[in-house]
Amino acid sequence: MSENAREVPMNEFGDRLGDVIGRASMLGEVIYLTVDGTRVAKIVPHEDAWFRSPA
């Protein structure tokens, strides 16, 4: 997986959704969503994703 990563605060995510998805899909970047500087979620390119199966 690419470690070309950046962080986006959750309060900016809605306004930057297109940019975030474009960077993940076209540039292969990993984007961490943060709340008060703490990473709470991660957006990765589809090729790098793994999927959880229901328990």
Side-chain angles (χ1 to χ4, degrees):
M1 181 181 315
S2 168
E3 278 309 313
N4 186 19
R6 67 178 56 228
E7 294 183 349
V8 174
M10 281 295 296
N11 62 347
E12 296 177 15
F13 178 61
D15 294 335
R16 297 179 56 190
L17 179 61
D19 178 54
V20 168
I21 299 302
R23 287 183 168 282
S25 65
M26 292 186 218
L27 302 177
E29 287 188 5
V30 173
I31 296 94
Y32 291 96
L33 303 179
T34 63
V35 173
D36 296 329
T38 300
R39 292 176 173 180
V40 296
K42 180 172 155 179
I43 297 174
V44 299
H46 182 267
E47 298 80 23
D48 294 338
W50 57 272
F51 300 94
R52 272 194 252 194
S53 299

